[in-house]
Amino acid sequence: MNKRGRPRDFDYTSIVDVAMKTFWSKGYNGCSTHDLCSDTGLGKGSLYNTFGSKQDLYLAVVEHYHETGIREQRALLESPGSVKERLHNFLAWALVEDFESTNPKGCLLINAGLERAKDDPKIEEIVSRHVELLKQTMETVMEEGLRTGEISKKRSAVDLASLFLSSYYGFRVLNTSTQNRTLAEQIMNGTMESIFGA
Amino acid sequence: MNKRGRPRDFDYTSIVDVAMKTFWSKGYNGCSTHDLCSDTGLGKGSLYNTFGSKQDLYLAVVEHYHETGIREQRALLESPGSVKERLHNFLAWALVEDFESTNPKGCLLINAGLERAKDDPKIEEIVSRHVELLKQTMETVMEEGLRTGEISKKRSAVDLASLFLSSYYGFRVLNTSTQNRTLAEQIMNGTMESIFGA
DNA sequence: TTATTATTGTAACAATCGGTACAAAAATAA
DNA sequence: TTATTTTTGTACCGATTGTTACAATAATAA
C-alpha cells in the first residue's frame, strides 16, 4: 500500500549535488531553471515535481553544502596533530579550494549569504547555523591550544576563534574576487602569526 | 561648435549614485533595467544613451563606489590619533555600515567581486585595485605602529596588514549574512587583540 | 529664422524567465 | 488483467529580460 506508482529514475541527493555546482558557479539569480534542467538532465516536470520551486531547490542545495562542508571542516580541525598544524591545514585546504579547483567558485555559503540571506530568512538561518558550528569547533581547538601552551595565554578562546573565523572568511572572499596568490600567502602568514607568534 | 543639441536634464554622477543603491541592495543579476529606470527616474532612452548597457552602468557604479570608498577608508586610517584608535575607528565605521544603515547591504565591492569578477574582468580589476590600495594604506599604518612601539615588534607590517585586511573583509561578510552583533563585537575584540595584545 | 545635433519618452523587439497543465508512460496493488 | 498512483516529457503560460527604433522635443550655431 505504500510504494505504488512509477518510481523516479534518478537519485535525489545526486541531483542536489549537480544543482549545487550550477548554483555555485552562476549564483542564484544568475542561473535559470533551464540551466538546472540541462545540467541535471531532468525535465521541468521532474524538477518541479521533486523540489517544488527554484527557491526550494536552492534551499536543499545550501543545506546539503552546509552538511558536507561542516563535516569536512570539522575533520580538518579535529584531526590528530598539533593545533598549529590543524589550523594551517584548514587554511591550506581553503587555498586549494579557491585556486586549484577546475573552476574556482569560492565558498557557496558566503555567496548564498550575501545574495539571498536578506530575501530568504531560511538561507540566513542555514548560514548562521553553519557559522556558529564552525566557530564553536574553532573555539574548542583554541581552548586546546591554550591548555597545552601551544598558544601563549593572554587571550580568550572566544576572541581567538572569532579572529580566525573572520580572517578565514576574508581569506576566501579575497581569494575568490582577486585570485591573488601572493596576497593569499601573506594572509595565511599573518593569520598564523597572529595566533602563534612570529 | 562643441555643445550643440539638446542638453541632458540630469546630472551624470548623481544618477550613478542612485543606480549604485539599486545595484547595491539587489545585486547585478537581481535588478533589472526597469528597476534602474524607475529608481533613477530616467527613461530607457536616456539610460542607454548615457551609459550604453546595464553592464557598463554597473562598471561606472562599482568604480564610483571604489573612489568614494577608498577616500573614506583612507581618511579613517590616516586621521590623527593613535594607531590603535584609528584601526578601531575603521572597524567601528564598518560596524555602523553593516548594522545601523537604513537597510544594511554590506560592502558593494565584495558583492561585485563575488558576483561578477569571474564574468567581467573589469570588475575584477577594480576590486583588485581597491584591495591593493587599502592594503597599502594599512601597511603604512602598521609601519607607524611598529616604529612608535604601539605594536610590539616581531611581525612585519605586510603580515599585520594582510591579517587586518582579511579579518576586515570576513567581518563585513559575516555581518551582512548573519546580522549577529555579538559575533561582530567578538571579531572586533579578537582582531584588535591580535595586533595590540590583550 | 533655420539648420543641426543631441536628448527624451514610448513602443516594440526577440529571448528568456519561473512555473503550470496535462497526457503518455511506468511502476505496484488488487 | 485491471485499477491506481506517480513520474516523465512536452507544450505552453503570462510576465519580464536587456536592448533597440524612432519620432518628438529642445537646445545651440549659423
Side-chain angles (χ1 to χ4, degrees), chain A residues 155 159-160 162-164 166-167 190-197, chain B residues 84 87 91 142 151-152 155 159-160 163-164 167 186-198:
Chain A
R155 286 175 283 168
D159 287 347
L160 285 164
S162 302
L163 169 69
F164 192 76
S166 65
S167 189
T191 304
M192 294 304 289
E193 281 178 10
S194 76
I195 291 171
F196 300 97
Chain B
K84 190 172 187 174
L87 293 182
L91 296 180
M142 296 304 176
I151 301 173
S152 66
R155 287 175 284 168
D159 287 347
L160 285 164
L163 168 69
F164 192 77
S167 188
Q186 290 170 341
I187 291 172
M188 283 185 72
N189 281 342
T191 304
M192 294 304 289
E193 281 177 10
S194 75
I195 291 169
F196 299 98

mmCIF file of all heavy atoms in Angstrom, chain A residues 155 159-160 162-164 166-167 190-197, chain B residues 84 87 91 142 151-152 155 159-160 163-164 167 186-198:
data_model
loop_
_atom_site.group_PDB
_atom_site.id
_atom_site.type_symbol
_atom_site.label_atom_id
_atom_site.label_comp_id
_atom_site.label_asym_id
_atom_site.label_seq_id
_atom_site.Cartn_x
_atom_site.Cartn_y
_atom_site.Cartn_z
ATOM 1 N N ARG A 155 44.888 35.599 25.694
ATOM 2 C CA ARG A 155 43.635 35.885 25.004
ATOM 3 C C ARG A 155 42.640 34.748 25.230
ATOM 4 O O ARG A 155 43.041 33.598 25.430
ATOM 5 C CB ARG A 155 43.900 36.031 23.500
ATOM 6 C CG ARG A 155 44.586 37.340 23.164
ATOM 7 C CD ARG A 155 44.934 37.381 21.713
ATOM 8 N NE ARG A 155 46.104 36.594 21.389
ATOM 9 C CZ ARG A 155 46.475 36.292 20.148
ATOM 10 N NH1 ARG A 155 45.746 36.704 19.140
ATOM 11 N NH2 ARG A 155 47.551 35.588 19.930
ATOM 12 N N ASP A 159 37.817 34.972 21.626
ATOM 13 C CA ASP A 159 38.419 36.015 20.803
ATOM 14 C C ASP A 159 39.311 35.417 19.722
ATOM 15 O O ASP A 159 39.323 35.878 18.571
ATOM 16 C CB ASP A 159 39.222 36.980 21.679
ATOM 17 C CG ASP A 159 38.298 37.884 22.495
ATOM 18 O OD1 ASP A 159 37.095 37.920 22.190
ATOM 19 O OD2 ASP A 159 38.786 38.538 23.433
ATOM 20 N N LEU A 160 40.063 34.395 20.103
ATOM 21 C CA LEU A 160 40.924 33.732 19.119
ATOM 22 C C LEU A 160 40.105 33.100 17.998
ATOM 23 O O LEU A 160 40.427 33.235 16.815
ATOM 24 C CB LEU A 160 41.778 32.662 19.817
ATOM 25 C CG LEU A 160 42.945 33.179 20.657
ATOM 26 C CD1 LEU A 160 43.464 32.088 21.586
ATOM 27 C CD2 LEU A 160 44.069 33.684 19.756
ATOM 28 N N SER A 162 37.056 33.890 17.093
ATOM 29 C CA SER A 162 36.397 34.926 16.298
ATOM 30 C C SER A 162 37.353 35.533 15.294
ATOM 31 O O SER A 162 36.986 35.796 14.141
ATOM 32 C CB SER A 162 35.855 36.022 17.223
ATOM 33 O OG SER A 162 34.953 35.464 18.159
ATOM 34 N N LEU A 163 38.574 35.778 15.729
ATOM 35 C CA LEU A 163 39.581 36.304 14.809
ATOM 36 C C LEU A 163 39.851 35.331 13.679
ATOM 37 O O LEU A 163 39.842 35.708 12.499
ATOM 38 C CB LEU A 163 40.893 36.578 15.555
ATOM 39 C CG LEU A 163 42.081 36.870 14.626
ATOM 40 C CD1 LEU A 163 41.921 38.199 13.938
ATOM 41 C CD2 LEU A 163 43.396 36.774 15.366
ATOM 42 N N PHE A 164 40.058 34.090 14.026
ATOM 43 C CA PHE A 164 40.381 33.086 12.999
ATOM 44 C C PHE A 164 39.213 32.924 12.027
ATOM 45 O O PHE A 164 39.402 32.813 10.818
ATOM 46 C CB PHE A 164 40.721 31.748 13.658
ATOM 47 C CG PHE A 164 41.341 30.757 12.719
ATOM 48 C CD1 PHE A 164 42.661 30.877 12.324
ATOM 49 C CD2 PHE A 164 40.589 29.704 12.219
ATOM 50 C CE1 PHE A 164 43.238 29.966 11.446
ATOM 51 C CE2 PHE A 164 41.154 28.788 11.331
ATOM 52 C CZ PHE A 164 42.486 28.914 10.947
ATOM 53 N N SER A 166 36.853 35.186 11.218
ATOM 54 C CA SER A 166 36.705 36.323 10.305
ATOM 55 C C SER A 166 37.838 36.350 9.295
ATOM 56 O O SER A 166 37.619 36.615 8.110
ATOM 57 C CB SER A 166 36.635 37.637 11.082
ATOM 58 O OG SER A 166 37.852 37.880 11.753
ATOM 59 N N SER A 167 39.037 36.050 9.758
ATOM 60 C CA SER A 167 40.161 36.064 8.832
ATOM 61 C C SER A 167 39.987 34.989 7.759
ATOM 62 O O SER A 167 40.306 35.201 6.589
ATOM 63 C CB SER A 167 41.469 35.841 9.590
ATOM 64 O OG SER A 167 42.560 36.047 8.731
ATOM 65 N N GLY A 190 50.090 35.994 8.076
ATOM 66 C CA GLY A 190 49.625 36.966 9.076
ATOM 67 C C GLY A 190 48.670 36.333 10.067
ATOM 68 O O GLY A 190 48.721 36.608 11.273
ATOM 69 N N THR A 191 47.810 35.456 9.572
ATOM 70 C CA THR A 191 46.831 34.828 10.450
ATOM 71 C C THR A 191 47.499 33.856 11.420
ATOM 72 O O THR A 191 47.215 33.863 12.629
ATOM 73 C CB THR A 191 45.764 34.090 9.614
ATOM 74 O OG1 THR A 191 45.165 35.009 8.710
ATOM 75 C CG2 THR A 191 44.701 33.493 10.516
ATOM 76 N N MET A 192 48.386 33.030 10.894
ATOM 77 C CA MET A 192 49.066 32.066 11.764
ATOM 78 C C MET A 192 49.941 32.787 12.798
ATOM 79 O O MET A 192 49.953 32.425 13.983
ATOM 80 C CB MET A 192 49.921 31.109 10.912
ATOM 81 C CG MET A 192 49.127 30.189 9.992
ATOM 82 S SD MET A 192 47.876 29.180 10.841
ATOM 83 C CE MET A 192 48.902 28.033 11.743
ATOM 84 N N GLU A 193 50.632 33.818 12.368
ATOM 85 C CA GLU A 193 51.477 34.578 13.289
ATOM 86 C C GLU A 193 50.657 35.251 14.379
ATOM 87 O O GLU A 193 51.105 35.360 15.525
ATOM 88 C CB GLU A 193 52.260 35.650 12.529
ATOM 89 C CG GLU A 193 53.467 35.104 11.794
ATOM 90 C CD GLU A 193 54.180 36.194 11.017
ATOM 91 O OE1 GLU A 193 53.838 37.380 11.218
ATOM 92 O OE2 GLU A 193 55.075 35.867 10.226
ATOM 93 N N SER A 194 49.476 35.699 14.011
ATOM 94 C CA SER A 194 48.663 36.421 14.996
ATOM 95 C C SER A 194 48.210 35.500 16.122
ATOM 96 O O SER A 194 47.842 35.948 17.201
ATOM 97 C CB SER A 194 47.448 37.041 14.321
ATOM 98 O OG SER A 194 46.490 36.041 14.047
ATOM 99 N N ILE A 195 48.244 34.206 15.863
ATOM 100 C CA ILE A 195 47.815 33.256 16.897
ATOM 101 C C ILE A 195 49.014 32.621 17.604
ATOM 102 O O ILE A 195 49.005 32.460 18.820
ATOM 103 C CB ILE A 195 46.915 32.161 16.265
ATOM 104 C CG1 ILE A 195 45.585 32.804 15.841
ATOM 105 C CG2 ILE A 195 46.664 31.031 17.256
ATOM 106 C CD1 ILE A 195 44.704 31.910 15.024
ATOM 107 N N PHE A 196 50.053 32.308 16.846
ATOM 108 C CA PHE A 196 51.183 31.582 17.431
ATOM 109 C C PHE A 196 52.442 32.419 17.587
ATOM 110 O O PHE A 196 53.433 31.947 18.119
ATOM 111 C CB PHE A 196 51.502 30.345 16.585
ATOM 112 C CG PHE A 196 50.361 29.382 16.498
ATOM 113 C CD1 PHE A 196 49.497 29.387 15.421
ATOM 114 C CD2 PHE A 196 50.141 28.483 17.523
ATOM 115 C CE1 PHE A 196 48.430 28.501 15.360
ATOM 116 C CE2 PHE A 196 49.077 27.596 17.471
ATOM 117 C CZ PHE A 196 48.215 27.616 16.384
ATOM 118 N N GLY A 197 52.422 33.658 17.116
ATOM 119 C CA GLY A 197 53.617 34.496 17.172
ATOM 120 C C GLY A 197 54.509 34.230 15.973
ATOM 121 O O GLY A 197 54.332 33.233 15.257
ATOM 122 N N LYS B 84 46.129 52.518 17.279
ATOM 123 C CA LYS B 84 45.070 51.685 17.846
ATOM 124 C C LYS B 84 43.699 52.328 17.655
ATOM 125 O O LYS B 84 42.738 51.665 17.236
ATOM 126 C CB LYS B 84 45.334 51.460 19.335
ATOM 127 C CG LYS B 84 44.445 50.409 19.981
ATOM 128 C CD LYS B 84 44.903 50.111 21.398
ATOM 129 C CE LYS B 84 44.137 48.942 22.023
ATOM 130 N NZ LYS B 84 44.688 48.569 23.334
ATOM 131 N N LEU B 87 42.651 52.136 13.878
ATOM 132 C CA LEU B 87 42.185 50.814 13.436
ATOM 133 C C LEU B 87 40.833 50.475 14.058
ATOM 134 O O LEU B 87 39.957 49.897 13.410
ATOM 135 C CB LEU B 87 43.227 49.737 13.804
ATOM 136 C CG LEU B 87 44.555 49.842 13.066
ATOM 137 C CD1 LEU B 87 45.489 48.700 13.474
ATOM 138 C CD2 LEU B 87 44.363 49.835 11.549
ATOM 139 N N LEU B 91 37.098 49.745 12.070
ATOM 140 C CA LEU B 91 36.147 48.644 12.269
ATOM 141 C C LEU B 91 34.803 49.158 12.761
ATOM 142 O O LEU B 91 33.745 48.637 12.374
ATOM 143 C CB LEU B 91 36.728 47.619 13.257
ATOM 144 C CG LEU B 91 37.987 46.885 12.798
ATOM 145 C CD1 LEU B 91 38.457 45.911 13.872
ATOM 146 C CD2 LEU B 91 37.736 46.139 11.483
ATOM 147 N N MET B 142 50.520 50.158 9.897
ATOM 148 C CA MET B 142 51.220 49.152 10.699
ATOM 149 C C MET B 142 52.686 49.543 10.883
ATOM 150 O O MET B 142 53.251 49.381 11.970
ATOM 151 C CB MET B 142 51.118 47.775 10.027
ATOM 152 C CG MET B 142 49.705 47.217 9.920
ATOM 153 S SD MET B 142 48.830 47.093 11.502
ATOM 154 C CE MET B 142 47.210 46.524 10.963
ATOM 155 N N ILE B 151 52.754 48.875 18.424
ATOM 156 C CA ILE B 151 52.662 47.454 18.137
ATOM 157 C C ILE B 151 53.995 46.832 18.532
ATOM 158 O O ILE B 151 55.041 47.238 18.017
ATOM 159 C CB ILE B 151 52.395 47.203 16.635
ATOM 160 C CG1 ILE B 151 51.096 47.888 16.216
ATOM 161 C CG2 ILE B 151 52.335 45.710 16.349
ATOM 162 C CD1 ILE B 151 50.828 47.848 14.727
ATOM 163 N N SER B 152 53.949 45.899 19.470
ATOM 164 C CA SER B 152 55.190 45.248 19.897
ATOM 165 C C SER B 152 55.786 44.524 18.710
ATOM 166 O O SER B 152 55.114 43.711 18.079
ATOM 167 C CB SER B 152 54.904 44.274 21.036
ATOM 168 O OG SER B 152 54.108 43.215 20.571
ATOM 169 N N ARG B 155 56.469 41.120 14.198
ATOM 170 C CA ARG B 155 55.817 40.776 12.944
ATOM 171 C C ARG B 155 56.039 41.888 11.918
ATOM 172 O O ARG B 155 56.197 43.049 12.274
ATOM 173 C CB ARG B 155 54.318 40.585 13.180
ATOM 174 C CG ARG B 155 54.003 39.300 13.914
ATOM 175 C CD ARG B 155 52.532 39.211 14.245
ATOM 176 N NE ARG B 155 52.176 40.073 15.372
ATOM 177 C CZ ARG B 155 50.930 40.359 15.720
ATOM 178 N NH1 ARG B 155 49.942 39.877 15.036
ATOM 179 N NH2 ARG B 155 50.696 41.136 16.751
ATOM 180 N N ASP B 159 52.552 41.393 7.023
ATOM 181 C CA ASP B 159 51.748 40.340 7.637
ATOM 182 C C ASP B 159 50.632 40.931 8.492
ATOM 183 O O ASP B 159 49.496 40.435 8.491
ATOM 184 C CB ASP B 159 52.636 39.426 8.483
ATOM 185 C CG ASP B 159 53.497 38.524 7.607
ATOM 186 O OD1 ASP B 159 53.217 38.441 6.403
ATOM 187 O OD2 ASP B 159 54.446 37.916 8.133
ATOM 188 N N LEU B 160 50.970 41.998 9.214
ATOM 189 C CA LEU B 160 49.944 42.650 10.036
ATOM 190 C C LEU B 160 48.828 43.220 9.171
ATOM 191 O O LEU B 160 47.642 43.049 9.471
ATOM 192 C CB LEU B 160 50.584 43.769 10.877
ATOM 193 C CG LEU B 160 51.410 43.309 12.076
ATOM 194 C CD1 LEU B 160 52.291 44.448 12.579
ATOM 195 C CD2 LEU B 160 50.490 42.818 13.199
ATOM 196 N N LEU B 163 46.671 40.415 7.684
ATOM 197 C CA LEU B 163 45.746 39.886 8.681
ATOM 198 C C LEU B 163 44.572 40.833 8.898
ATOM 199 O O LEU B 163 43.411 40.416 8.872
ATOM 200 C CB LEU B 163 46.464 39.672 10.018
ATOM 201 C CG LEU B 163 45.514 39.396 11.195
ATOM 202 C CD1 LEU B 163 44.865 38.033 11.048
ATOM 203 C CD2 LEU B 163 46.235 39.534 12.526
ATOM 204 N N PHE B 164 44.876 42.100 9.079
ATOM 205 C CA PHE B 164 43.809 43.065 9.344
ATOM 206 C C PHE B 164 42.863 43.164 8.149
ATOM 207 O O PHE B 164 41.643 43.243 8.305
ATOM 208 C CB PHE B 164 44.412 44.439 9.668
ATOM 209 C CG PHE B 164 43.421 45.416 10.225
ATOM 210 C CD1 PHE B 164 42.999 45.324 11.547
ATOM 211 C CD2 PHE B 164 42.897 46.438 9.437
ATOM 212 C CE1 PHE B 164 42.073 46.224 12.063
ATOM 213 C CE2 PHE B 164 41.965 47.335 9.943
ATOM 214 C CZ PHE B 164 41.563 47.223 11.261
ATOM 215 N N SER B 167 40.703 39.958 8.020
ATOM 216 C CA SER B 167 39.751 39.959 9.115
ATOM 217 C C SER B 167 38.648 40.989 8.878
ATOM 218 O O SER B 167 37.478 40.758 9.179
ATOM 219 C CB SER B 167 40.469 40.239 10.431
ATOM 220 O OG SER B 167 39.577 40.059 11.496
ATOM 221 N N GLN B 186 32.776 40.335 19.082
ATOM 222 C CA GLN B 186 33.856 39.384 19.365
ATOM 223 C C GLN B 186 34.955 39.457 18.303
ATOM 224 O O GLN B 186 36.150 39.360 18.617
ATOM 225 C CB GLN B 186 33.289 37.969 19.463
ATOM 226 C CG GLN B 186 32.435 37.765 20.712
ATOM 227 C CD GLN B 186 31.678 36.446 20.694
ATOM 228 O OE1 GLN B 186 31.495 35.827 19.649
ATOM 229 N NE2 GLN B 186 31.221 36.019 21.868
ATOM 230 N N ILE B 187 34.530 39.643 17.068
ATOM 231 C CA ILE B 187 35.531 39.750 15.999
ATOM 232 C C ILE B 187 36.351 41.026 16.178
ATOM 233 O O ILE B 187 37.579 41.020 16.020
ATOM 234 C CB ILE B 187 34.847 39.720 14.614
ATOM 235 C CG1 ILE B 187 34.266 38.330 14.336
ATOM 236 C CG2 ILE B 187 35.837 40.114 13.524
ATOM 237 C CD1 ILE B 187 33.409 38.252 13.090
ATOM 238 N N MET B 188 35.674 42.112 16.521
ATOM 239 C CA MET B 188 36.407 43.360 16.760
ATOM 240 C C MET B 188 37.429 43.163 17.892
ATOM 241 O O MET B 188 38.600 43.550 17.759
ATOM 242 C CB MET B 188 35.447 44.491 17.104
ATOM 243 C CG MET B 188 34.725 45.043 15.886
ATOM 244 S SD MET B 188 33.686 46.475 16.266
ATOM 245 C CE MET B 188 34.922 47.749 16.567
ATOM 246 N N ASN B 189 36.999 42.575 18.981
ATOM 247 C CA ASN B 189 37.919 42.295 20.094
ATOM 248 C C ASN B 189 39.088 41.431 19.647
ATOM 249 O O ASN B 189 40.251 41.753 19.887
ATOM 250 C CB ASN B 189 37.179 41.567 21.226
ATOM 251 C CG ASN B 189 36.352 42.503 22.072
ATOM 252 O OD1 ASN B 189 36.565 43.719 22.050
ATOM 253 N ND2 ASN B 189 35.412 41.951 22.816
ATOM 254 N N GLY B 190 38.751 40.320 19.023
ATOM 255 C CA GLY B 190 39.782 39.376 18.607
ATOM 256 C C GLY B 190 40.779 40.008 17.656
ATOM 257 O O GLY B 190 41.986 39.763 17.743
ATOM 258 N N THR B 191 40.279 40.829 16.745
ATOM 259 C CA THR B 191 41.160 41.461 15.770
ATOM 260 C C THR B 191 42.074 42.492 16.422
ATOM 261 O O THR B 191 43.288 42.507 16.177
ATOM 262 C CB THR B 191 40.323 42.131 14.664
ATOM 263 O OG1 THR B 191 39.457 41.154 14.077
ATOM 264 C CG2 THR B 191 41.230 42.716 13.595
ATOM 265 N N MET B 192 41.505 43.326 17.275
ATOM 266 C CA MET B 192 42.325 44.344 17.940
ATOM 267 C C MET B 192 43.363 43.686 18.856
ATOM 268 O O MET B 192 44.536 44.075 18.878
ATOM 269 C CB MET B 192 41.432 45.297 18.748
ATOM 270 C CG MET B 192 40.494 46.144 17.912
ATOM 271 S SD MET B 192 41.328 47.131 16.654
ATOM 272 C CE MET B 192 42.161 48.353 17.675
ATOM 273 N N GLU B 193 42.943 42.649 19.574
ATOM 274 C CA GLU B 193 43.880 41.946 20.461
ATOM 275 C C GLU B 193 45.013 41.286 19.694
ATOM 276 O O GLU B 193 46.150 41.233 20.175
ATOM 277 C CB GLU B 193 43.135 40.878 21.267
ATOM 278 C CG GLU B 193 42.357 41.430 22.446
ATOM 279 C CD GLU B 193 41.589 40.338 23.164
ATOM 280 O OE1 GLU B 193 41.815 39.145 22.850
ATOM 281 O OE2 GLU B 193 40.756 40.663 24.029
ATOM 282 N N SER B 194 44.677 40.779 18.507
ATOM 283 C CA SER B 194 45.708 40.071 17.750
ATOM 284 C C SER B 194 46.809 41.019 17.291
ATOM 285 O O SER B 194 47.907 40.581 16.965
ATOM 286 C CB SER B 194 45.088 39.377 16.548
ATOM 287 O OG SER B 194 44.784 40.327 15.555
ATOM 288 N N ILE B 195 46.509 42.294 17.275
ATOM 289 C CA ILE B 195 47.518 43.263 16.842
ATOM 290 C C ILE B 195 48.193 43.959 18.028
ATOM 291 O O ILE B 195 49.405 44.151 18.048
ATOM 292 C CB ILE B 195 46.881 44.303 15.901
ATOM 293 C CG1 ILE B 195 46.510 43.613 14.589
ATOM 294 C CG2 ILE B 195 47.829 45.477 15.639
ATOM 295 C CD1 ILE B 195 45.662 44.438 13.680
ATOM 296 N N PHE B 196 47.391 44.278 19.047
ATOM 297 C CA PHE B 196 47.929 45.061 20.165
ATOM 298 C C PHE B 196 48.094 44.259 21.453
ATOM 299 O O PHE B 196 48.591 44.775 22.446
ATOM 300 C CB PHE B 196 47.023 46.271 20.431
ATOM 301 C CG PHE B 196 46.937 47.200 19.267
ATOM 302 C CD1 PHE B 196 45.868 47.137 18.391
ATOM 303 C CD2 PHE B 196 47.939 48.125 19.031
ATOM 304 C CE1 PHE B 196 45.800 47.985 17.305
ATOM 305 C CE2 PHE B 196 47.882 48.981 17.949
ATOM 306 C CZ PHE B 196 46.799 48.901 17.074
ATOM 307 N N GLY B 197 47.632 43.005 21.450
ATOM 308 C CA GLY B 197 47.697 42.201 22.674
ATOM 309 C C GLY B 197 46.477 42.464 23.525
ATOM 310 O O GLY B 197 45.746 43.436 23.323
ATOM 311 N N ALA B 198 46.254 41.553 24.494
ATOM 312 C CA ALA B 198 45.021 41.643 25.289
ATOM 313 C C ALA B 198 45.035 42.830 26.245
ATOM 314 O O ALA B 198 46.065 43.396 26.512
ATOM 315 C CB ALA B 198 44.830 40.362 26.073
#
